[in-house]
Amino acid sequence: MVSNRPRITRVLDVIEESSTVRSLLFKDKLCSKAKPGQFIMVWIPGVDEIPMSISIMRDDQAGLTVRKVGEASTALFNMKVGSMIGIRGPYGNSFNPIIGKVMIVGAGTGLAPLMPLLEILTNKSASIDMIVGGKTMEEFIFMDKIKEILSKTESKIVVTTEDGSYGIKGLVTDAILPILKKKRFDMIYTCGPELMMKKVFEMAQEFNLPVQASLERVMKCGIGICGSCCIGKYNVCKDGPVFDSSKLKEVKDEFGLFRRDHSGKRVIF
Amino acid sequence: MQEPDLSVEIAGFKMKNPLMLASGILGISIASLRKVFEAGAGAVITKSIGYKARVGYDNPTLVEVHGGYLNAIGLSNPGVKEFYDELSNSKIDDLPLVVSLFGAKPSEFKEMVSILDELNIRAYELNLSCPHVKGFGIEVGQDPKAIREVVKSTKEETKKPLFVKLSPNVSDIVKIAKVAENSGADALTIMNTVRAMSIDIETFRPILANKIGGLSGPVIKPIAVRCVYEVSRSVRIPIIGCGGITSWQDAIEFFLAGARAVQIGTAIAYEGLNVFEKIKKGIRDYLIMKEKESVRDIVGLSHGF
Ligand SMILES: Cc1cc2nc3c(=O)[nH]c(=O)nc-3n(C[C@H](O)[C@H](O)[C@H](O)COP(=O)(O)OP(=O)(O)OC[C@H]3O[C@@H](n4cnc5c(N)ncnc54)[C@H](O)[C@@H]3O)c2cc1C
Ligand SMILES: Cc1cc2nc3c(=O)[nH]c(=O)nc-3n(C[C@H](O)[C@H](O)[C@H](O)COP(=O)(O)O)c2cc1C
Ligand code: FES
């Protein structure tokens, strides 16, 4: 069976999340049954093929949430209902939902892979502390949905913005410290800018708490053979995208320090 | 029966077993190459390095087809200087490392070797056979004059073994192989991918951004076996077989056709890195069953018929 080939599907719905972020819904059985944290390679015919987290799963449909940053993501952002895209995947490992007290730290489109996780955790965890960060209020996505999901369980939401336009003024990582001092967690899940995740990881280490972080690297094949997504001895597409504390320790010489561009050249964060 | 000897030697380069990682698969960082070595490869080859950095083609750069994969990565690489920098800051002394090089002209190969040669690299493989990058691969690899100039001038710059990697996309691979041998190649890697294409019927579009790419995997194996067989009848230098090897039976077929060692690439997509240990064990058991003492004893046996 040939599976690593784009499956053409049409965009069923476009959801405006913010002025720069949209979610696209499409029909795809495999993706609708993906595990939280898995990603797909999305072919925008004539433009590019880029990795995107699966942010929505329902019935036989799935969705992705894209921020327009460059040519390909902007083309995807501009897709209309009925536009054709090609999907391969789901790829990679996934978050491991645990029973217990959890903290979730997300920022920007880093929330995309955290949303399916959040839905599973509400039925599983004892409590959820959700920390969401961003530069300004306009950047926030999914807030109503997060509040709605969290209303079903024992939970707390903390919001931070760098300019103070929404929630606490400051960085997400500033907001975490007082919480970690007061409450004992069984797991911290995080996805967002790598420097933020690095900081979260370091704080978790101080408090001896386990972490699961979802990383990004340049992806070409998506199936663990081209090596373009390497970090240490791992390939993010296959051994990740979710790295637990022990794997994060193994890649400490690269995590939060450098990534590789499309040529394989090291680029400092 | 005593334990069969899996070690092989190619132009003075000794390997504990005859399985090498093919160029372009997981070959971007030393950490990944080391992981493949630790998984059982006898030698590992880097992604092809060029004189200047190249980002390669846009995605899609890879697509699966029946029996294999089609790729047009486009020789993306960080350039020889950045690569030298990374190598010289890595521990490579215990790593049986082969560096693959591509270039547009003889002076580029010469320059790259002069930069890299002080490092503990065991051999070079000259990629004169990339089927989908204009001016860099097959244009060189099907032109006898260009091959002669590249091989000769690279040879002047180094004492390390030079493998020349050939393409099946030529009208007479035996002729090309002889030119490489006569120009000073120490071994031949046969073969690179086969020029091919795949079109999406919903959107009417070629899937690869570059439209045309190179086919690899089980579907190309019979072509590679034929090329190894034909070339090994007419050259004296060792041949390294490559193309679609996924099982120990495939590897044996290449030895019988005349290959002294083999390379494995696409099989990793199907089998993971365990493929090296699996094939090694299969070769060992086969040699015992056939009462052969070493891999060397079965090289070219099919020529007797
Ligand atoms: C596992 C994974 C999941 C992701 N999930 C999401 C998501 O849910 N939502 C979202 O908006 N973004 C996500 N991204 C990031 C997204 O893939 C990039 O924003 C997108 O590829 C940018 O392409 P571009 O042409 O628009 O931008 P460019 O201008 O080409 O690049 C902008 C940035 O994106 C990076 N990038 C470009 N191409 C790739 C590629 N092939 N692989 C990885 N990074 C690339 C570049 O290194 C650069 O930092 C994810 C990335 C990965 C690796
Ligand atoms: C993704 C990919 C990238 C490759 N990159 C290179 C390369 O940079 N240089 C090279 O000489 N061969 C390259 N090749 C060709 C392989 O080294 C090998 O010759 C070919 O794939 C046939 O072997 P296989 O069927 O075992 O993969 C590449 C192959 C693939 C699949
Ligand atoms: S994208 Fe090719 S190995 Fe991960």
Side-chain angles (χ1 to χ4, degrees), chain A residues 55-95:
Chain A
S55 59
I56 302 167
M57 289 174 239
R58 61 161 86 128
D59 308 321
D60 58 354
Q61 296 176 6
L64 58 85
T65 301
V66 58
R67 175 183 301 277
K68 55 170 180 175
V69 292
E71 192 194 357
S73 53
T74 303
L76 195 55
F77 176 90
N78 287 330
M79 291 259 161
K80 306 269 177 299
V81 171
S83 300
M84 282 196 271
I85 52 174
I87 303 290
R88 55 189 182 95
Y91 291 133
N93 67 359
S94 57
F95 288 114

Side-chain angles (χ1 to χ4, degrees), chain A residues 2-5 8 43 45-46 48-49 219-220 223-228 232-233 235 239 260 262-263 266, chain B residues 25-26 28-29 31 35 54-55 59-61 63-66 69 76-78 82 85-86 198 200 205 207 269:
Chain A
V2 169
S3 49
N4 297 306
R5 204 180 159 81
I8 303 297
W43 182 35
D48 206 338
E49 185 187 45
M219 292 194 178
K220 294 184 181 176
I223 57 167
I225 64 168
C226 76
S228 65
K233 64 176 181 179
N235 290 312
D239 306 308
R260 286 174 197 270
H262 283 73
S263 78
R266 294 165 295 177
Chain B
I25 285 90
L26 299 178
I28 288 180
S29 74
K35 184 171 159 183
R54 273 177 67 96
V55 293
N59 281 343
T61 44
V63 60
E64 188 173 359
V65 295
H66 285 291
Y69 282 86
S76 57
N77 82 97
E82 162 80 10
D85 196 45
E86 193 166 345
S198 182
D200 174 64
R205 287 174 181 275
I207 298 178

Side-chain angles (χ1 to χ4, degrees), chain A residues 50-53 65-67 70 72-73 216-219 259 262:
Chain A
I50 53 174
M52 283 284 136
S53 304
T65 301
V66 58
R67 175 183 301 277
S73 53
E216 284 185 11
R217 284 295 180 271
V218 166
M219 292 194 178
R259 59 187 184 87
H262 283 73

